[in-house]
Structure formats: structure tokens, C-alpha cells
Amino acid sequence: MPDASAPAPAPSPGTSRSTSATIAPTILRYLARVAHDYDVDLQPLLTRVGLDATVMASTALRVSYRQGSDVIRQAVEQTGDEHLGLRVGAAQHLTAWGLLGFAMMAADTQQEAIETGVRYQNLSGAMTVWSAGWEDAGYVLRADLPDPALDPTVAVFLIEEGYSSVVTLLRLNVGASFAPQAIDFAFPAPRDRRPFEELFRCPVRFDAAGNRMVILTRWAQAAMPGRDPITYASTLDVLDREMASQRNQQELLEVLEISIAQSLPVVPSFLEQARRRASSERTLRRRLADCGTTYEAIVDGVRRERAEQLLRRPELTLRDIARQAGFADVSALRRAVRRWHGATPLELRTELLGREAPSPPAARVTPRP
């Protein structure tokens, strides 16, 4: 088995994975369910970022980090629950992870199940980077953010959701009495620690050097109740093929994003992109269709990211931003921002700059029983 403690490969220099639609939307599906308990309907928000009800029901659906982050940020705001991630994680089951969850249930031990999840984490809809291995403290499961500059609200949600789902799934597999030996969070201590203490039932430390969960040896080596070596091996064969296919798709999307981002304000034509990849236009278009996207959508995503980056710089005029993001004029920029955010560029600038300023915590809304 590959070394699960090895660090995940770094993204290609110069690319932003936030524009690539490569993440299975497991978290968003459960987020919508939990938000409903607060009488919050996320479907209008999901639709606005391109995830209507039909799309969300598709098993082939992939979302981008931008789409996921936008939905998470606003869901936390609308529910008023600053620790919404704990509830979303606790609502999950291994079946939510599809074939990967099935493989984990068929693993021999809990350690093997965890390492299987780490190995194929890109197929599970994970929006964090997981690693696991034996350390002096015991068997340790670590979680890192894909982007250290991620919005703090989204960052806290993702880490909470990740560890909450892990503990919930471990209890489903090895017994309700399971509790970590200890758990560390890199984010600041919340005003109310009780939700963490009640869920994890172990010492919890905040403002730590990193995010980690320490698991006692007896729990890590506990046998999985559904272990089956033949089923496990055959399922891994299928997952390996899925990983290879996804890797090829992600590499294609990232290469195109890099090419477009480096060329702005000029956008390379589709014919030029096909030539650069020694491909026909028809073949390249088919490959993008297999990824569930189009060249026009990728261009739109890169322009959107560039415009949002530039809007965070108050010294730039709208004319400067339109030119640097590759728009014909300010009117074209306005139309694009309205389509993306339902706001004007100046309204979006105010919102983006406001997110970076400290703000008082939102009032908590009690979910329906």
C-alpha cells in the first residue's frame, strides 16, 4: 500500500485549482440537507453558481473550489451557525462517498480504511488535503487546506466538517464508544467549546500548529466489521482507473487555465489551444465534454478569478480591471459581474474588501428538531 503519510503533490505552479470543476459535491449535498433544518433553502444559491437541482442530482457532477467556497460561506451566514461544519460532518455516512466508501467498509482494519480514504481522497469530494501515519503520539490523521489564504469562514467549516465526518464514520464502523485520544485545530478557540467536547469526547486544543487527530493503537488496528479482501482488492482496481481518468482530466483543465491566465488580457483561441496540445479542435472539445465543461466556461472562470483579484485592489479603476481581465470594456465587465454575483463591480468590491475586515460573529440560529 502506498505511504499514506507522504505529502500530497503540490499543485502546478501558476495555476489556481479554484476554477477547475474536479470535486465531487458530497459536502454540498449534505450541506443543503442540514441547512434545511434551519429553514434555509440553499437551492437558489446553488443555482446561482451553476448547480441547479438537475445538476446536483447527477453522479457525474464535479464542482470547483470557487463554487464550493461560495456556497459554504453564504450557508454559514444564512444559518447563523458558525460551526455548521460539525453538523454537516456528523450527518454523513460512508455510502455518501460512493465506491470509495464501499472499499473502506471492505478494508481489513480501521487503519487500512483510513489510508484507503487518504489514497483516493480526490474521489470522495474532499476539499481538504489529508495525510495519515504513525507518529510518536500514535496514529495521526492530519488535514491541511488546499490554499492557506482561503476565506477563514470556509477554512473553519472545511476542517470541522472533515474531522466531524471522520469521527462519525469511525463510530459507525468500530462502535459508538470510539473517541480520539486528542484533536488539535489550527484555528482560534470558539466562544463555545461545548459542541466540540460533546462530539469528539476527548481533549481538544485550538490555535495549534496544525490540524490533527490522534487515534489510539487499539482503535487504529480494530477490525472492520465488513472486511472482505477479495471485494476490497477488486474495488481498488476500479478506483485506480477512476483516479487515472480524473488525473488526466484535471491536468488538462489546469494546463488550459495556466495558458489563459498567463495570456490575459488576450485570450488564446480554441484553435490555438488545440495546436499547442498537438490535438484537433474536435478531440479537444470532446475531452472537455468528458470533463463536463467547455473552453468558454474555462475562460469565463479564469476571467472571473482575475476580476475578483483585481477588485480587491482599491487603487485600480474599473477601466483598469476590465482591460487586465480581458474584457472589451467596462460595460462587458459589468455584465459579467452581474451574471456571476448579481451585483455591480463596485458592490462586489465593497463585499470582497468587507470579507477581509474583522467582523462580529453571527447570531446562532437553532435548527429545527
Side-chain angles (χ1 to χ4, degrees), residues 28-45:
L28 300 189
R29 288 192 177 111
Y30 277 85
L31 176 59
R33 294 184 190 180
V34 172
H36 182 72
D37 294 338
Y38 293 81
D39 289 323
V40 172
D41 181 8
L42 290 186
Q43 193 53 62
L45 173 58

Side-chain angles (χ1 to χ4, degrees), residues 166-317:
V166 167
V167 168
T168 298
L169 299 178
L170 286 175
R171 286 174 180 155
L172 289 173
N173 285 323
V174 296
S177 62
F178 168 80
Q181 182 177 354
I183 189 164
D184 292 347
F185 291 108
F187 54 81
R191 292 170 298 163
D192 185 359
R193 294 174 177 243
R194 285 177 297 176
F196 294 84
E197 295 166 352
E198 291 170 1
L199 174 64
F200 296 113
R201 305 201 299 261
C202 72
V204 179
R205 184 174 62 160
F206 298 91
D207 282 313
N211 305 294
R212 72 169 192 169
M213 184 172 76
V214 182
I215 302 173
L216 289 170
T217 301
R218 69 183 181 90
W219 287 119
Q221 296 180 349
M224 292 290 287
R227 59 190 181 279
D228 186 310
I230 296 176
T231 299
Y232 179 72
S234 61
T235 307
L236 291 195
D237 287 341
V238 178
L239 292 174
D240 283 334
R241 291 195 292 272
E242 285 191 22
M243 281 284 288
S245 174
Q246 186 180 91
R247 190 177 302 113
N248 291 336
Q249 292 180 358
Q250 185 167 325
E251 287 174 356
L252 172 63
L253 296 176
E254 291 188 351
V255 164
L256 290 174
E257 286 177 359
I258 293 170
S259 174
I260 296 165
Q262 291 177 341
S263 299
L264 285 179
V266 177
V267 176
S269 69
F270 189 71
L271 175 60
E272 176 61 24
Q273 295 286 19
R275 286 175 176 168
R276 291 180 185 180
R277 267 145 282 291
S279 168
S280 69
E281 291 182 79
R282 181 177 179 181
T283 298
L284 181 56
R285 202 172 297 281
R286 177 182 54 77
R287 291 184 64 194
L288 289 176
D290 290 341
C291 297
T293 190
T294 64
Y295 184 59
E296 293 74 19
I298 297 172
V299 171
D300 192 57
V302 174
R303 276 180 168 160
R304 173 176 173 170
E305 183 166 20
R306 181 64 58 85
E308 290 172 358
Q309 290 171 344
L310 296 172
L311 282 167
R312 287 182 168 89
R313 296 171 55 185
E315 75 277 9
L316 295 179
T317 66

Side-chain angles (χ1 to χ4, degrees), residues 78-114:
Q78 290 181 30
T79 62
D81 187 348
E82 59 185 332
H83 299 297
L84 190 62
L86 294 179
R87 287 178 53 79
V88 173
Q92 294 179 39
H93 190 278
L94 272 173
T95 53
W97 297 2
L99 196 60
L100 173 57
F102 186 65
M104 293 172 70
M105 289 189 285
D108 185 52
T109 64
Q110 194 62 65
Q111 176 184 340
E112 186 174 62
I114 291 172

